[in-house]
Amino acid sequence: MKVGIPKEIAPNETRVSVIPGMLNVITKMNHEVIVEKDAGAMAGFSDQQYADQGAKIVASAKELYAEADIVLKVQPPMQHESLGKHESEALKDGAYLVTFLSPASNPDGIKKLKGRKVTAFDMGFVPRITRAQSMDALSSMATVAGYKAVVMGADYLGKMFPLMMTAAGTVPPSNVLVLGAGVAGLQAIATAKRLGAKVEAFDPRIAVKEQIESLGAKFVEMEITEDAETAGGYAKEMSDDFLKKEQEAIAKRLPKVDLVITTAQVFGKAAPILITEEMIKMMHSGSVIIDIAAEQGGNTALTQKGKTEKHGVIIHGAVNLPALIPVHASQMYSKNITNLFQLIFKETIDWEDEIIKGSCVVKEGEVVNKLVADIIA
Ligand code: NAD
């Protein structure tokens, strides 16, 4: 089959779905690869590098979509200016699409796939099971985001992170608070520690306490009266009562914190508000909040997408942090998507495989994922 790698068209997107170094995974399976001109340019990969790995370079998205039997992307399909149509409509009959479909924020992309003779897999629905770890792009992108959130916060802060004893006096370490210690949060803790900050963190899943401490951070103790973890290991939505107690515990820390990284989320829900406007007023002038749950509404009452400043505090609602680190983000994403590719596109597709079944959202025009069907209903 012909496998197409288009240039991403979402604003500020710099990643590419497959880097040249991973093309051999696809060509070894006897598929041909077509790459749209400049597809990897923003991530530093030239057309020549793709051509050297055996890819055919095509000049336009029109040529790519006309030829490709399988399209591998990063961002959900969207309206394409030069194609004059939506990417979902540009797929040829019988084609397969593998990408992040982000149905909640992009219902149109799914609606336009519905009823068409196409099949689409969502990288965001790869089940978080051991066998699928190497295909888990949500986790790898969250790792990149957790790292970048700290680097961005450090950049905004008028302070350094580590304790420094110098001839010009002693500089105390900065205090960093990380709320939510899933994949992104744990990486944020590790990054802040590496830079020398004093780090505290909280997550309502009791099992996470040990992981926080193993990274050298202090767990914010509070009375946990509810089990925050589902049988599948995911966080569940906490009660209003719990959130109130959590806000009280966080409020006690805020006056001495320099940087807060918020990452709290519950799958499929709006992000919980952990920091109210009153709490932001308690923070000292010049302190910073990087809220990476901004796409789900944010973990603070004042989060907006991008940078704002309120009550002397910089609040940055960070969206698409991985696009700010396109080389490694593309490299990690490529590994995830080509591993999934290898599993799906064997001689015949094994529709009984838990990973294939779980990640398929549209099968020959039918929306087969119940959650997604409800979103677009
Ligand atoms: P995850 O599911 O692994 O982690 C979320 C964590 O939040 C879980 O550990 C959960 O227990 C915790 N949580 C739930 N309720 C909480 C509460 N009331 N208080 C504190 N913690 C709570 O998710 P992840 O992969 O680490 O992603 C975290 C967030 O980052 C998500 O919102 C995700 O969409 C976002 N993200 C943003 C970017 C970006 O570029 N901005 C990139 C990747 C991920």
Side-chain angles (χ1 to χ4, degrees), residues 128 138-139 141-146 179-186 202-205 208 228 234-238 242-243 246 250 262-267 271-272 274 291-296 299 317-323:
R128 276 180 154 172
L138 273 183
S139 289
M141 295 305 104
T143 300
V144 176
L179 299 173
V183 183
L186 288 173
F202 178 72
D203 193 293
R205 288 183 298 125
V208 177
Y234 287 95
K236 66 176 195 206
E237 203 169 17
M238 306 308 285
F242 181 93
L243 284 177
E246 183 177 355
I250 295 166
T262 60
T263 79
Q265 71 148 3
V266 176
F267 188 72
L274 307 181
D291 184 351
I292 77 162
E295 249 153 318
Q296 286 79 29
N299 288 142
V319 285
N320 202 359
L321 287 171

Side-chain angles (χ1 to χ4, degrees), residues 11-16 42-43 45 74-75 100 136-149 152 183-184 290-293 295 316 318-334 336:
N12 305 319
E13 185 51 78
T14 55
R15 290 168 291 174
V16 60
M42 303 277 271
F45 303 107
V74 180
Q75 287 281 355
F100 275 125
D136 184 356
L138 273 183
S139 289
S140 56
M141 295 305 104
T143 300
V144 176
Y147 165 85
K148 185 64 185 179
M152 184 183 253
V183 183
I290 307 291
D291 184 351
I292 77 162
E295 249 153 318
H316 191 117
V319 285
N320 202 359
L321 287 171
L324 298 177
I325 310 194
V327 178
H328 282 149
S330 300
Q331 181 185 314
M332 292 164 89
Y333 187 81
S334 294
N336 298 140

